[in-house]
Amino acid sequence: MSMTPQVRQILANYESDNPGSKANLARILLQGRLGGSGKLVILPVDQGFEHGPVRSFAPNPPAYDPHYHFQRAIDAGLSAYAAPLGPLEAGAATFAGQIPLILKVNSANTLTATKDQAVTGSVRDALRLGCAAIGFTIYPGSDQAYAMMEEIRAMAAEAKAHGLAVVIWSYPRGGSLSKEGETAIDITAYAAHMACLLGAHVVKVKLPSAHIEQPEARQVYEKQKIAVDTMTQRVAHVVQSCFNGRRIVVFSGGESKDLEGIYKECAGIRDGGGNGSIIGRNTFQRPRAEALAMLDMIVSIYQGKAYNTDANKKLQAVPGHAA
Amino acid sequence: MSMTPQVRQILANYESDNPGSKANLARILLQGRLGGSGKLVILPVDQGFEHGPVRSFAPNPPAYDPHYHFQRAIDAGLSAYAAPLGPLEAGAATFAGQIPLILKVNSANTLTATKDQAVTGSVRDALRLGCAAIGFTIYPGSDQAYAMMEEIRAMAAEAKAHGLAVVIWSYPRGGSLSKEGETAIDITAYAAHMACLLGAHVVKVKLPSAHIEQPEARQVYEKQKIAVDTMTQRVAHVVQSCFNGRRIVVFSGGESKDLEGIYKECAGIRDGGGNGSIIGRNTFQRPRAEALAMLDMIVSIYQGKAYNTDANKKLQAVPGHAA
Amino acid sequence: MSMTPQVRQILANYESDNPGSKANLARILLQGRLGGSGKLVILPVDQGFEHGPVRSFAPNPPAYDPHYHFQRAIDAGLSAYAAPLGPLEAGAATFAGQIPLILKVNSANTLTATKDQAVTGSVRDALRLGCAAIGFTIYPGSDQAYAMMEEIRAMAAEAKAHGLAVVIWSYPRGGSLSKEGETAIDITAYAAHMACLLGAHVVKVKLPSAHIEQPEARQVYEKQKIAVDTMTQRVAHVVQSCFNGRRIVVFSGGESKDLEGIYKECAGIRDGGGNGSIIGRNTFQRPRAEALAMLDMIVSIYQGKAYNTDANKKLQAVPGHAA
Amino acid sequence: MSMTPQVRQILANYESDNPGSKANLARILLQGRLGGSGKLVILPVDQGFEHGPVRSFAPNPPAYDPHYHFQRAIDAGLSAYAAPLGPLEAGAATFAGQIPLILKVNSANTLTATKDQAVTGSVRDALRLGCAAIGFTIYPGSDQAYAMMEEIRAMAAEAKAHGLAVVIWSYPRGGSLSKEGETAIDITAYAAHMACLLGAHVVKVKLPSAHIEQPEARQVYEKQKIAVDTMTQRVAHVVQSCFNGRRIVVFSGGESKDLEGIYKECAGIRDGGGNGSIIGRNTFQRPRAEALAMLDMIVSIYQGKAYNTDANKKLQAVPGHAA
Amino acid sequence: MSMTPQVRQILANYESDNPGSKANLARILLQGRLGGSGKLVILPVDQGFEHGPVRSFAPNPPAYDPHYHFQRAIDAGLSAYAAPLGPLEAGAATFAGQIPLILKVNSANTLTATKDQAVTGSVRDALRLGCAAIGFTIYPGSDQAYAMMEEIRAMAAEAKAHGLAVVIWSYPRGGSLSKEGETAIDITAYAAHMACLLGAHVVKVKLPSAHIEQPEARQVYEKQKIAVDTMTQRVAHVVQSCFNGRRIVVFSGGESKDLEGIYKECAGIRDGGGNGSIIGRNTFQRPRAEALAMLDMIVSIYQGKAYNTDANKKLQAVPGHAA
């Protein structure tokens, strides 16, 4: 894939980074069917850690095999594949050089109630496995938030010195946050901003709701007449919070829902100026053919070939696709 | 023992490992009476730490002597012997080169209530004692689970860089887990999966019961019609959770029970595709001759010479053995 | 570029390497117009160090600019670009992610008479610049040969641990070697073999002549009836000396000559089973259009589209090309 | 292979070593057809470095492939395989756990006249490749002798701390030594003794001639009436010089000669109490079947089944073998 | 052995040393038959390195076995045993705790003409072998003298930091020194003084002759009327040069001579205030019984029980000893 103006423009924003980190960002941005467009779709498979194998893989048993996910990410023409140490060790040699890898270097599980994650990988692991980036989750709001920030500070510095890219999953939870507040627009924008402040090259947040959690924030939204009614508006607001678009931000959808819902969200991300989706369970829990068809549609949306807004400002699925 | 297709196939799954770690896995898999079969029986003697010497060794006083266990593992043709630092220091020179050793590098004791273990050995210790692997216990669910995972992350990276193999004992406990839940099938599969995610070469879990602990998991088992009624089914489910069989998984039986029960369990492990047993107290608390006879039967079971399923789908002990 | 059977087969030979080094080899082998074919053409620009700028760049002044070489390597669809620290620092950000880079970590210059090179780059430099490999020159035969081997031993170990590939330029000179002996077939095969013994992933030697330098070697060539009359035979002999083809070997042409001569040499490399060319001065001292045309023909030759042997065992340039 | 009294007795001499080094010595001593006998035959393949590929491998072209040597050492039931870094990297994964490996960590080549070797491997390399030992050459008498001794001092200390065994090739040359003196009995005994003084676990020297190089030594041989007329006497003298047999000593034959000569030498090594042979070129330059037949006879000699001394004190080949 | 005033007084001179180094000096001074007297006899066995095994051990073949020397030093009631790495490794476990060991950390051999020694042991080796001290040779006058001094500087600092004692063998040779000058009284005093200046705890020099090598020194001896005619005077002069007796100094005899000569020299050392003898070849080249008898007499001399000066200022052997 050759360089494009879109990717060149994105890379120019990472002006303090060494060429190694830029090259790894470029590899992700030039990979797959969205390569060169400035959009990206990342496949993360860390649900085995988060929810255990049966909840993650039993709906589609081939997904028990780590090779399945590498192959699916390649076949669907995705931009990168993110996973913890074990699954990358189990396939990184077989698929060497075929798709950029992101080593998820911390992980949580539902058996542990603490709002924290264990560091389960290292920059050295990422290098020996040929990864383009490390991925790290912070829980802004939790009692462990500062400790987690300090962990990623150290790991990000090491990763950047070795020419890797840094992806931060920023998931607010804990403290005085309500359950609804975890995906509130003010909190999501805040979480994305903190990831940028910590030096992330790529930010990953959940798609925000229109709920506003903090009274002080609400006042500002109202006073400044900031519209957050539509997904497109909310995404644009998050993008603005990421250094006015100087940092790549991708979104996850959260709880599984119907295809139509997912497609509309992707269109919202696209139209709000978001860089793409990180989408795991919603694909690998479907049979392979169904998952590939879904990913094909998502790629089409990011390519601007589907779910465009019509003259009536309504989203229109492409002809021939059930929408 | 020369290489066999079974062992070659297992080793091929460790595609990111250096030849040193592969050679040490090969040594274990080619050792003893099950050498080359892809099955293995490991003797662990860490009960002295866990329960103190009198509960561990008084039923069979020769077992107070560390040499006793080395010799028994060799005489019974087992695959490896696992113990903490002290006992290995007490016999590793005498038995140098005779059986692969696994240095158990963390240990708990009943005088301490914390659901944690102390790190009591190092990779350097394993190397100077001529060990093939390090062994480490994690307690998924406990308050210390993340700290334990971070300890083994660092030690596993060092072990792999020095060509050793890594065995993780994954024993769920603590948090909101019920006592019954510690060996529930959903929890055991989850625990085995997490050991794989952490990069274990060999996973060790307890034989699971048919109990399902987590409501969210129960829904999946029911919806997907996953049968976990028989031991064979449950073992197969755990094997699947170990990267679809790409990682070696061995099982312990837990509380001592009658011989017939133990033999049937081994047949279940074998028929479910498990790689073998790790069996300590049940052997060393019996007189030597009795223990050797028991291990002989277990080896026979894994060799497929005993406790096979007959036409009526019932297990049959081999003629000449009391079953 | 997706994986191909040819590349998969080559990567399988690097059985002790971690996935990081494999991925970087794969990146080179999947890059450009020869991507996936198992053949490669590398552009090296270190003549500025070797002969000074005026001798190197004055014949084609745009070549004074480091960006010129990055762009030319990309435009010509080459496999990788190799240069010392300075030029890579001058362009690695602009061209990040567009072509695999090889940091040449030692360099000689004509002002210094010692048959040695200065170490002018590091593995850390390679990582921060986003390189796929380090390149290192040894001078077998020189008084400094052992010291140079000890340097690359240490740097190669560090590079491999960090997931980089290692390219060794093996150029015999010094000691009792005659000038003619430096490119003798026996010496070239020996030099290529030593690079392999030192652990190179990719070996670079000069195209050998039919001269045999060592009397002891001559006896063997004669006794064993080893034909080294044609370039194809000599290349095949060098390939055999590279662990019977288990290591990638590329050739340089040396002194500039006419196009026809260069093309025939490439056909010889191809037909002898060599992996490709490393070609610098012969291209960058020509005007850009001419150089691109030449590289286009070379790529065509490695693709098997030109300079094939006809029924009369004579090389035939493709129709439409002046040969 | 289970422990034997012979091996136990040898291991007892390494009383200051940790169990790791003992276990690796045990692995070598228990390997292959001579396993347990206290005798050993090691296959070294470093002639590619020493003399170049064509002189080494052209007489038997399959030997160009590093896998060939691993396989031959295994098939012939030898005790260990020794080679430089590159060839071990090229096969250590495929043959993991099948035969003890010795990483030759320094190497010379005939293009360089200096009586020195380059350090071309490390203890870390040996560990990641799963080796049982490192091998190192010293040239007592050369200007570089002290520097070489200092290199092996450091590497041996590191190797022993990590549980590896240490093999020293002790080849006198340089200084005031005559060519004949390099294999003189006094010089060979001295060289073997120095390897022991340096802490070698296994000493490798060339089979000594009856020549005595040093006048001061000659006086002692004469005064003490030390007979060094037969190979058996000379080997016994070297064994005595290796701490009176407390260190393992193996012999190479040097320039290729006829089979009968090689067999008689092996009988001499055996009858003089030497521990065995290290035999490379003499085997791998023969076709595989011939080489295996030769190694079969050598093993038989060390097993005491062939070339025993008859009543007339003459060596007798076994019936059915051409002697 | 309990502390004595003599030893207490000696230790008080090492006022800057840590208690570890003092304890190790005390162990040597309290060991054996001279324990507590302030006198000591050390057995060094490094002649195998210096002259090869046959010249060293053939006159008394049991001496080929390293255990022989440990046992003899213990049986003769000596103060310490000094040897290179290999022999200490071969016996340090068997004789652990029975006699203080001195690891000779550099060594020369007669095959190498350079007036230098190779560093063949380390402080870490000395610690793991349970040694009380390291021993190091310097050659004042040689081209390598400064390099050797720098080596012992570093090793002595490390040894002292780890609580070991440091013994320096100071043997002038090379440069403009005549053969006779190597043992001249002015040169010997100078050599001993330099060892003290370098921080040695114990100095070892050869017994000086009455020759004065340096004209400038001769003028002073004459002007100041310093008598160096008798051995007692010369020893007293050397002792004075060792910080006026604040450092322990022991003497070797050099070329073997008759018993009477050796005994008289020891009496001279004793009467001149020297601390004792370091005596190797003169004992181990004799049959064991003879050697033990000789050592018995030497001990008696240092105990003041033999070879005392009578009323006529003549040495008198004790009754019952042949003198």
Side-chain angles (χ1 to χ4, degrees), chain B residues 157-173:
Chain B
E158 188 187 355
K160 290 174 183 179
H162 288 80
L164 296 178
V166 175
V167 186
I168 297 184
W169 273 241
S170 193
Y171 287 0
R173 63 188 59 177

Side-chain angles (χ1 to χ4, degrees), chain A residues 45-55 57-62 64-67 84-95 105 107-122 125 128-129 151, chain B residues 13-17 139-143 145-147 149-151 153 156-157 160 172 174-177 186-187 189-191 193-194 196-201 214 216-218 220-221 224 226 237 240-244 246-247:
Chain A
V45 184
D46 53 356
Q47 285 75 4
F49 237 132
E50 296 272 344
H51 303 121
V54 73
R55 288 173 61 193
F57 306 126
N60 178 31
Y64 278 108
D65 185 343
H67 281 210
L85 184 70
L88 290 196
E89 287 188 332
T94 295
F95 298 95
V105 292
S107 305
N109 66 74
T110 54
L111 299 185
T112 303
T114 328
K115 287 188 169 52
D116 191 10
Q117 297 209 342
V119 174
T120 57
S122 70
D125 289 326
R128 73 175 168 88
L129 294 172
E151 285 169 343
Chain B
N13 288 326
Y14 297 89
E15 62 182 50
S16 298
D17 282 287
Y139 292 148
S142 84
D143 291 349
Y146 288 166
M149 288 177 181
E150 292 179 354
E151 286 169 342
R153 186 214 69 72
K160 290 174 183 179
S176 60
L177 278 178
D186 59 329
I187 299 300
Y190 196 168
H193 188 62
M194 281 197 279
C196 295
L197 290 167
L198 289 165
H201 295 118
Q214 297 183 303
E216 304 89 337
R218 176 178 301 277
V220 179
Y221 282 96
Q224 303 293 338
I226 303 169
H237 183 65
Q240 197 177 33
S241 300
C242 290
F243 291 173
N244 212 28
R246 286 183 184 272
R247 292 293 175 263

Side-chain angles (χ1 to χ4, degrees), chain A residues 225-282:
Chain A
K225 296 187 172 46
I226 303 169
V228 291
D229 304 315
T230 68
M231 185 58 78
T232 299
Q233 290 168 333
R234 294 194 291 273
V235 165
H237 183 63
V238 171
V239 167
Q240 197 177 34
S241 301
C242 290
F243 294 172
N244 209 29
R246 284 183 183 272
R247 291 294 174 263
I248 296 167
V249 59
V250 294
F251 296 85
S252 63
E255 294 308 305
S256 67
K257 54 196 88 129
D258 66 6
L259 285 174
E260 184 64 16
I262 293 171
Y263 297 156
K264 286 185 176 169
E265 286 173 357
C266 291
I269 296 167
R270 177 197 63 199
D271 295 340
N275 294 87
S277 292
I278 183 160
I279 183 163
R281 204 170 12 163
N282 270 322

Side-chain angles (χ1 to χ4, degrees), chain D residues 20-21 32 34 45 86 98 124 138 214-215 220 226 252 286 292:
Chain D
S21 295
L34 288 169
V45 183
Q98 298 190 46
R124 287 295 290 263
I138 55 171
Q214 297 184 303
V220 179
I226 302 170
S252 63
R286 298 172 199 273
L292 288 176

Side-chain angles (χ1 to χ4, degrees), chain A residues 160-176:
Chain A
K160 291 174 184 180
H162 288 80
L164 296 178
V166 175
V167 186
I168 297 184
W169 273 241
S170 191
Y171 286 1
R173 63 188 60 176
S176 60

Side-chain angles (χ1 to χ4, degrees), chain C residues 192-274:
Chain C
H193 188 61
M194 281 197 279
C196 295
L197 290 166
L198 289 165
H201 295 119
V202 179
V203 175
K204 194 271 187 181
V205 287
K206 293 192 179 171
L207 270 172
S209 71
H211 174 64
I212 295 173
E213 174 84 353
Q214 297 184 302
E216 305 89 336
R218 177 178 301 277
Q219 292 177 352
V220 178
Y221 282 94
E222 288 170 358
K223 185 175 175 193
Q224 303 294 338
K225 297 185 173 46
I226 302 170
V228 291
D229 304 316
T230 69
M231 186 57 78
T232 299
Q233 289 168 334
R234 294 195 291 273
V235 166
H237 183 64
V238 171
V239 168
Q240 197 177 34
S241 299
C242 290
F243 293 173
N244 212 28
R246 286 183 184 272
R247 292 293 175 263
I248 296 166
V249 59
V250 294
F251 297 85
S252 63
E255 296 308 305
S256 66
K257 54 196 88 128
D258 66 5
L259 286 174
E260 184 67 15
I262 293 171
Y263 297 157
K264 285 185 174 167
E265 285 173 358
C266 291
I269 296 168
R270 177 197 64 198
D271 295 339

Side-chain angles (χ1 to χ4, degrees), chain D residues 13-17 139-143 145-147 149-150 153 157 160 172 174-177 186-187 189-191 193-194 196-201 214 216-217 220-221 224 226 237 240-244 246-247, chain E residues 47-55 57-62 64-67 84-95 105 107-114 116-122 125 128-129 151:
Chain D
N13 289 326
Y14 297 89
E15 62 182 50
S16 299
D17 281 288
Y139 292 148
S142 83
D143 291 349
Y146 288 166
M149 288 177 180
E150 292 179 354
R153 185 215 68 72
K160 290 174 183 179
S176 60
L177 279 178
D186 59 327
I187 299 301
Y190 196 167
H193 188 62
M194 280 196 280
C196 294
L197 291 166
L198 289 165
H201 294 119
Q214 297 184 303
E216 305 88 335
V220 179
Y221 283 94
Q224 303 294 339
I226 302 170
H237 183 64
Q240 196 177 34
S241 300
C242 290
F243 292 174
N244 212 29
R246 286 183 184 272
R247 292 293 174 265
Chain E
Q47 285 75 6
F49 237 132
E50 297 271 344
H51 303 120
V54 72
R55 288 172 61 193
F57 306 127
N60 178 30
Y64 278 108
D65 185 342
H67 281 210
L85 184 70
L88 290 196
E89 286 188 334
T94 296
F95 298 97
V105 292
S107 305
N109 66 74
T110 54
L111 299 186
T112 303
T114 329
D116 191 9
Q117 298 209 341
V119 174
T120 57
S122 71
D125 290 326
R128 73 175 168 88
L129 294 171
E151 286 170 342

